[in-house]
Amino acid sequence: MLNVFRCIYIFQTIIFIGALIHFIRKKDLSSILLLLCDMLTIVIVYFQSYEEYSWTKEIYSWAPIDYLANGYNEGEYYGGWEDEYPQGYGRLTYRHFIDEEFYSIIYHGETYRALYYEGEFEHGRRMGHGVVVYEGGFRDEGEFFGKWEPGKVVFIGRRWLNDDRYYDLEVVAINGVDAKDYPKSDDWIIVDE
């Protein structure tokens, strides 16, 4: 099906260029304006599904896509793209919290949902340096290690609170969804200014 749409876009573009050249030679301003509007429609239709095309290497911030890895990692994505997955540097803004499944941390009995992840992806998973920003002024900044599997270290870095305190942290997956935090200090380290 994808090849059919690709052929249609190529065919439309060839017709558009030929018609545009024809009407420019005839100096028919109204036809030129109508063709330009038609081209705008082609562009809009293209960007409604551009993540499905094999040649798409970048999802743009002005045309983000809905991305769904699982109930916890879903939202609006833009950045590097390959084989219908986030690849390279990108940003996933979490949303769709209606199902009550969301990526979060718990601090003093309160749940703080993740707002977004920005950093490196590999085949749709967080892999490499990145930052997760949470509600309440929290953020995890460091190295992420891809797919969650029981006993696997999935994050090493710092958990910050309001840019003025942090603690070093290691996160180990319990299963594909849950993980346990292992702080490397007994209390927050205050940043001196």
Side-chain angles (χ1 to χ4, degrees), residues 105 107 112 129-142 155 157-169 188-193:
I105 58 172
Y107 181 69
Y112 298 93
H129 189 76
V131 178
V132 176
V133 175
Y134 301 88
E135 299 171 324
F138 293 95
R139 84 174 184 273
D140 290 347
E141 184 171 357
F155 173 76
R158 289 187 172 165
R159 175 158 295 154
W160 287 87
L161 176 58
N162 299 326
D163 293 331
D164 62 358
R165 62 190 70 192
Y166 71 90
Y167 58 84
D168 292 320
L169 176 68
W188 293 98
I189 298 168
I190 308 298
V191 177
D192 294 325
E193 292 189 33

Side-chain angles (χ1 to χ4, degrees), residues 71-170:
Y72 293 86
N73 290 308
E74 58 186 347
E76 230 175 47
Y77 175 79
Y78 66 89
W81 191 256
E82 187 175 301
D83 298 327
E84 298 186 30
Y85 290 107
Q87 180 71 23
Y89 192 84
R91 179 176 171 142
L92 177 62
T93 302
Y94 300 108
R95 58 186 175 110
H96 306 301
F97 300 136
I98 296 169
D99 59 9
E100 292 301 317
E101 291 186 21
F102 46 81
Y103 187 65
S104 64
I105 58 172
I106 298 174
Y107 181 69
H108 290 298
E110 293 288 323
T111 300
Y112 298 93
R113 294 185 295 203
L115 301 173
Y116 66 88
Y117 167 79
E118 187 166 350
E120 295 296 322
F121 286 87
E122 187 174 298
H123 301 295
R125 293 188 168 89
R126 298 175 300 185
M127 185 72 167
H129 189 76
V131 178
V132 176
V133 175
Y134 301 88
E135 299 171 324
F138 293 95
R139 84 174 184 273
D140 290 347
E141 184 171 357
E143 296 296 314
F144 291 83
F145 299 101
K147 184 178 182 182
W148 287 24
E149 297 170 338
K152 179 182 176 184
V153 174
V154 293
F155 173 76
I156 295 175
R158 289 187 172 165
R159 175 158 295 154
W160 287 87
L161 176 58
N162 299 326
D163 293 331
D164 62 358
R165 62 190 70 192
Y166 71 90
Y167 58 84
D168 292 320
L169 176 68
E170 183 175 278

Side-chain angles (χ1 to χ4, degrees), residues 2 8-9 34 51 58 65 81 86 90 100 111 120 129 156-157 186 191:
L2 192 56
I8 290 171
Y9 283 124
L34 287 172
E51 74 276 8
E58 183 83 16
I65 61 156
W81 191 256
E100 292 301 317
T111 300
E120 295 296 322
H129 189 76
I156 295 175
D186 293 332
V191 177

